Amino acid sequence: MKRIIAMLLLTAMLATTMFGCGFDPDDKGSIIPLYIGSEQSNYDPTAVLYDKDTVKYLGLVFQGLTVMTSEGKIEKGLAKEWYTKTDERRGEYFMYFELNESKWSDGRQLLADHFVYAWKRLLSPETKSEAAALLFDIKNAKAVKAGEMSIDNLGIAAVDNLLIEVQFEKEIDYNLFLEAVSSPALAPMRDDVVIGHEDTWATTLEEATFNGQFTLKTMEKGKATGFEKANGYRASSKDDEEVSPLKYVKPYKLLEDRTKDLAGQLSMFNNGEIYYLGQLTKSDYESNKANLVTQPLLSTLTIYFNNTKKALSSADGRKGLSMALDRNQIASIIGCGTKAATGFVSDGFYDASFGSSFRSVGGDVISASADAAKAKDLIKSGGATGSLTLTYLENDLNSEIADYCISAWSTAGASVKAQPLAKKKYEEALKSGSFDMIMLDVQGLSTNAVSVLAPYATRYSGSVVSVADDSKGYAPHVTGFENADYDAAIDAVYAASTMSERASLLHTAEKLLAESMPAAPLAFYYDYYLVSSELKNVKSSAYGYRLLEDAELKDYAEKNAAYEAKQADDGSAAA
């Protein structure tokens, strides 16, 4: 064993010497053992997001036209350049995105058509995704989603292989769109991969394709998740051998060992076996608080009420159920920096400009404290006293939160039972609306509050729409919520042209939503992580995923050799 390690270390040092005056074409970069968060089984950016950790993985394997950093800076992603063209006389407003040359994980060239397909898929009446609301500034987008126009009328086209043309309904603040296209939900896709495999293409290594800096290489449930540098990222159609393998992405592999629980992950971090840790137990969070890097997330623990159920059809009843809950208590149950929700829009969203918090500007629209007496009166007057069921994804933490909620509702006069479901059945219930009440992490799909508030409006829900002649041309939010005043408030948001006008109107919309309470926001999540002093240049996006393309591990040649030798030794022992 010692002889193997010595030989590998010698090889690494010789390579460093040989290529000291230039780059080593065989130097693929560092192997970084780490732990990001909860295990993922579906990497489809358009899938229903109910887990706050999902975006942390999507941000590794997909990239859109732009990237938005945690400081609010819009950086180039797959877009090399962008520019606008306006014809005031004809009322035409265009934006063009020129793409960097890049490849998919299977080696195929990335094309402008792949963005066009992805966005048309989102706006198709047959697709269910709240991300559709991010694209409603595009000409005819709302009519296309409603089935009133053909998808061919959508104002987006591939001018050539690397140029995208977007036409807007009217002149807008183009920074709004640059922020929107930084969303992982607006990443490109390929029709040859997705069509015919809509529900499975991103669930297996055999079918999935990615376009980000990393590609998924290992997906062993309960054992390991592994990512590898995407060799095709920013590669031209004619590979340039003079470009260093480290030019665009420095790490070679990101490896998660899933055989250890959270206490075991922390032990490995403290022992120098992993260099990044993105999840802790509640008690370990407290004891390591001084060393944590934190930021607010775009994610809120929420209970959706099925507004079509008789017992939940009254705003009074829904407000009573919400008012019965002490959100400070729920935040305490979760721990790890979580805060009581005081609105539908969490602390991670900006207001009229980045750096100004939507939540701070708007103030509280929901009380963090319970009002048991008023809740009891509202539950009774609103008819929410019948037998109801709270559905949630089965795990210990969710069970503890559900137990608290059910106890509080019982005190307020509502009879609710728990329904914990395994992942597949839970996803089916959420997607189909087959629930009385369901608990989930509502993930904002952009840093603008419109991504959270617009989907509650019927024409902006992103739900599947019937194209039958007698259809309404829309389908409500999965909660079944329909309110003409709220719909008008969101229409006004999209009619506004500037960021400041939209921010003001979004505050008005959120207050209206709180009056109807189609859902009960419970807790605002905060992102946190520990990073080793050995690992440098770990940055963050505004969405709460890490930007690791520039991450550098100290003395990685020696660490790589030691890691690979240990893996070889462990494999021999297992054999």
Side-chain angles (χ1 to χ4, degrees):
M1 174 63 187
K2 289 182 179 178
R3 181 177 297 175
I4 294 173
I5 293 176
M7 290 177 66
L8 287 167
L9 289 173
L10 178 60
T11 301
M13 287 186 289
L14 283 172
T16 301
T17 302
M18 290 171 64
F19 295 94
C21 297
F23 69 81
D24 177 0
D26 296 321
D27 181 2
K28 295 180 179 180
S30 56
I31 296 172
I32 306 178
L34 77 179
Y35 187 82
I36 298 169
S38 59
E39 190 166 25
Q40 304 297 307
S41 58
N42 189 343
Y43 285 77
D44 184 348
T46 64
V48 175
L49 298 180
Y50 61 86
D51 175 356
K52 63 181 175 59
D53 286 348
T54 300
V55 73
K56 297 179 183 180
Y57 290 87
L58 293 179
L60 291 175
V61 295
F62 286 103
Q63 188 174 86
L65 294 173
T66 62
V67 175
M68 195 165 187
T69 70
S70 59
E71 293 81 25
K73 182 181 179 184
I74 298 173
E75 297 182 342
K76 296 173 182 178
L78 287 177
K80 180 165 63 175
E81 300 290 346
W82 52 78
Y83 55 91
T84 61
K85 186 175 75 173
T86 299
D87 187 331
E88 294 280 1
R89 185 178 59 82
R90 300 178 63 178
E92 293 181 340
Y93 307 94
F94 293 91
M95 195 168 196
Y96 293 86
F97 294 90
E98 184 181 347
L99 301 183
N100 282 298
E101 291 203 48
S102 194
K103 292 182 180 179
W104 290 88
S105 54
D106 63 0
R108 279 197 57 183
Q109 199 72 21
L110 182 104
L111 303 173
D113 269 329
H114 299 149
F115 279 97
V116 173
Y117 167 72
W119 295 1
K120 283 186 174 181
R121 179 184 180 229
L122 280 173
L123 290 168
S124 165
E126 294 84 13
T127 299
K128 180 182 178 66
S129 176
E130 293 184 0
L134 301 180
L135 298 171
F136 275 5
D137 282 317
I138 296 177
K139 188 174 179 63
N140 298 328
K142 195 158 62 168
V144 167
K145 182 62 180 172
E148 298 166 357
M149 284 188 175
S150 163
I151 196 74
D152 295 329
N153 295 118
L154 185 66
I156 178 173
V159 177
D160 60 35
N161 284 346
L162 296 176
L163 185 63
I164 303 168
E165 177 188 81
V166 182
Q167 184 175 6
F168 298 99
E169 290 280 2
K170 62 182 188 313
E171 187 173 20
I172 62 169
D173 184 332
Y174 294 111
N175 284 319
L176 284 166
F177 198 69
L178 291 176
E179 290 163 6
V181 298
S182 70
S183 173
L186 299 189
M189 290 184 187
R190 291 195 352 231
D191 56 353
D192 63 306
V193 172
V194 176
I195 294 176
H197 307 273
E198 284 82 356
D199 296 328
T200 63
W201 74 269
T203 63
T204 67
L205 291 174
E206 291 74 25
E207 292 187 61
T209 57
F210 306 102
N211 79 304
Q213 296 99 324
F214 299 93
T215 188
L216 185 65
K217 282 292 188 180
T218 306
M219 197 178 179
E220 297 181 73
K221 187 175 181 180
K223 293 182 178 179
T225 307
F227 303 88
E228 190 172 301
K229 180 204 304 270
N231 290 330
Y233 178 71
R234 299 288 296 275
S236 65
S237 55
K238 182 175 70 175
D239 290 333
D240 187 353
E241 295 179 358
E242 298 301 315
V243 175
S244 166
L246 306 182
K247 181 173 182 179
Y248 297 115
V249 183
K250 290 184 169 59
Y252 172 39
K253 292 181 179 180
L254 310 173
L255 303 174
E256 290 182 305
D257 177 355
R258 294 199 169 274
T259 62
K260 306 288 194 303
D261 61 12
L262 292 183
Q265 298 291 344
L266 178 58
S267 178
M268 287 199 296
F269 180 84
N270 289 333
N271 292 336
E273 297 174 71
I274 64 175
Y275 302 95
Y276 172 97
L277 180 56
Q279 194 171 6
L280 293 164
T281 65
K282 187 161 62 171
S283 60
D284 285 335
Y285 175 93
E286 293 300 323
S287 59
N288 288 276
K289 189 183 292 187
N291 298 316
L292 292 171
V293 182
T294 65
Q295 74 178 74
L297 285 175
L298 309 177
S299 186
T300 302
L301 177 66
T302 302
I303 292 175
Y304 279 169
F305 299 128
N306 189 333
N307 292 213
T308 66
K309 300 283 184 178
K310 184 177 180 181
L312 297 168
S313 60
S314 164
D316 279 354
R318 298 190 299 265
K319 284 193 286 187
L321 291 168
S322 174
M323 202 173 291
L325 303 176
D326 186 334
R327 288 160 170 80
N328 291 308
Q329 177 65 21
I330 294 171
S332 178
I333 290 171
I334 301 169
C336 298
T338 304
K339 292 186 177 181
T342 54
F344 289 83
V345 180
S346 73
D347 291 339
F349 293 84
Y350 66 88
D351 196 66
S353 61
F354 207 94
S356 63
S357 163
F358 183 92
R359 188 74 279 130
S360 296
V361 173
D364 299 349
V365 297
I366 298 170
S367 174
S369 303
D371 187 336
K374 191 170 182 180
K376 190 170 186 177
D377 290 342
L378 288 171
I379 286 171
K380 184 177 180 180
S381 65
T385 55
S387 179
L388 294 166
T389 299
L390 174 62
T391 301
Y392 58 90
L393 182 64
E394 188 172 20
N395 62 49
D396 291 342
L397 178 58
N398 285 344
S399 293
E400 188 175 356
I401 297 168
D403 287 346
Y404 163 74
C405 292
I406 289 169
S407 175
W409 287 328
S410 177
T411 301
S415 176
V416 181
K417 63 181 180 179
Q419 185 182 49
L421 295 179
K423 195 168 191 176
K424 186 174 182 180
K425 289 189 175 181
Y426 171 86
E427 289 174 342
E428 290 171 354
L430 178 57
K431 187 175 182 179
S432 65
S434 303
F435 57 82
D436 294 340
M437 300 185 282
I438 192 166
M439 188 164 65
L440 71 156
D441 298 340
V442 174
Q443 175 69 38
L445 298 176
S446 84
T447 53
N448 191 296
V450 73
S451 68
V452 172
L453 297 177
Y456 286 99
T458 50
R459 296 270 290 187
Y460 302 84
S461 68
S463 297
V464 173
V465 178
S466 170
V467 293
D469 290 339
D470 59 350
S471 73
K472 295 179 180 179
Y474 65 85
H477 187 255
V478 70
T479 58
F481 175 64
E482 293 190 62
N483 183 287
D485 290 340
Y486 188 74
D487 290 350
I490 296 300
D491 281 337
V493 170
Y494 280 90
S497 299
T498 68
M499 296 172 76
S500 58
E501 287 177 313
R502 287 196 174 190
S504 177
L505 291 165
L506 284 166
H507 287 297
T508 300
E510 188 186 33
K511 289 173 184 175
L512 280 174
L513 199 61
E515 290 174 9
S516 295
M517 203 60 70
L522 303 179
F524 295 154
Y525 288 114
Y526 271 63
D527 186 33
Y528 61 89
Y529 61 90
L530 288 170
V531 61
S532 168
S533 60
E534 302 279 285
L535 185 61
K536 304 295 184 183
N537 297 331
V538 174
K539 301 175 184 176
S540 294
S541 77
Y543 295 87
Y545 63 82
R546 303 289 80 79
L547 302 172
L548 296 175
E549 61 267 28
D550 292 324
E552 295 186 57
L553 187 59
K554 183 179 179 181
D555 299 327
Y556 69 82
E558 293 87 339
K559 288 183 173 71
N560 286 2
Y563 181 86
E564 290 177 331
K566 183 178 184 301
Q567 295 300 106
D569 190 52
D570 289 346
S572 298

